[in-house]
Amino acid sequence: MSRLDSFIRRLTAQRDILNHISATMLDGQEGAVLEIGLGNGRTYSHLREHFPGRRIIAFDRAIGSHASSTPEPQDLVIGEIRETAQAYLGTGAALVHADIGTGYPDKDAVTLTWLPQLAAGSLRPGGIAISGLPLEHPDLEPQPLPATVREGRYFIYRKR
Ligand code: SAM
């Protein structure tokens, strides 16, 4: 598959999963949304549309987002996520969305030494993690994907 096709499928999977989560899976869950990897801010923009009124805290090592999708300073955490997100452990987030895969297996392997613990540790019980990288952690139970998303393209978990 070309990288263009792969990119389109990743974005489609993100949109379908974010729609699926917001329609069915966060009912009654309090807590913030953590956007791990703000990037251009496209998924941040989608989250904001779907979760009006909920605090969304975005993380990145630098601001690269479109001006219309840049969080207010109090909701923007700049620096290496492995370090900056430690402050959010135990804060009872409702949703963690992590889009920090690179497509380079060696780099993603390093990310996976800390990302699962970080996602599990910042969620409240019953909270949801969605990720482009698989998050293997005893507290994160894999959830079915929407029918439009191929197995292994994106991942959904609920914290036990
Ligand atoms: N979902 C975003 C969107 O819709 O625009 C795109 C996210 S982009 C693929 C990933 C972002 O995560 C990049 O902006 C990169 O700088 C950031 N990132 C990746 N790993 C990081 C790390 N360890 N610490 C801080 N930022 C990181």
Side-chain angles (χ1 to χ4, degrees):
M1 183 190 303
S2 75
R3 288 185 55 235
L4 178 61
D5 281 331
S6 177
F7 181 66
I8 290 167
R9 288 186 192 192
R10 182 167 70 86
L11 299 194
T12 304
Q14 284 178 336
R15 183 205 54 202
D16 290 356
I17 285 178
L18 293 177
N19 291 350
H20 174 70
I21 296 296
S22 55
T24 61
M25 294 185 76
L26 281 196
D27 289 350
Q29 293 273 358
E30 290 181 8
V33 173
L34 305 187
E35 172 74 326
I36 305 288
L38 175 65
N40 182 277
R42 292 189 183 100
T43 49
Y44 172 78
S45 158
H46 205 70
L47 286 165
R48 236 180 9 189
E49 273 194 10
H50 281 272
F51 297 105
R54 199 183 284 257
R55 187 174 183 203
I56 305 175
I57 305 165
F59 300 77
D60 210 302
R61 55 172 61 99
I63 298 178
S65 47
H66 189 274
S68 67
S69 305
T70 299
E72 295 299 318
Q74 67 273 17
D75 293 331
L76 182 57
V77 182
I78 296 298
E80 284 301 307
I81 293 165
R82 181 181 190 167
E83 291 150 24
T84 58
Q86 297 298 322
Y88 294 81
L89 292 174
T91 55
L95 173 65
V96 169
H97 171 229
D99 181 20
I100 56 173
T102 63
Y104 292 99
D106 53 337
K107 290 185 183 169
D108 291 344
V110 173
T111 299
L112 287 173
T113 62
W114 54 267
L115 183 60
Q117 293 90 313
L118 196 141
S122 52
L123 283 171
R124 66 182 50 232
I128 298 291
I130 55 187
S131 173
L133 295 174
L135 303 178
E136 285 186 21
H137 190 282
D139 292 342
L140 296 176
E141 187 178 3
Q143 302 293 306
L145 296 167
T148 52
V149 180
R150 184 177 63 74
E151 238 13 80
R153 178 161 296 281
Y154 231 74
F155 302 87
I156 309 178
Y157 304 88
R158 193 183 283 281
K159 183 171 175 182
R160 293 189 166 93

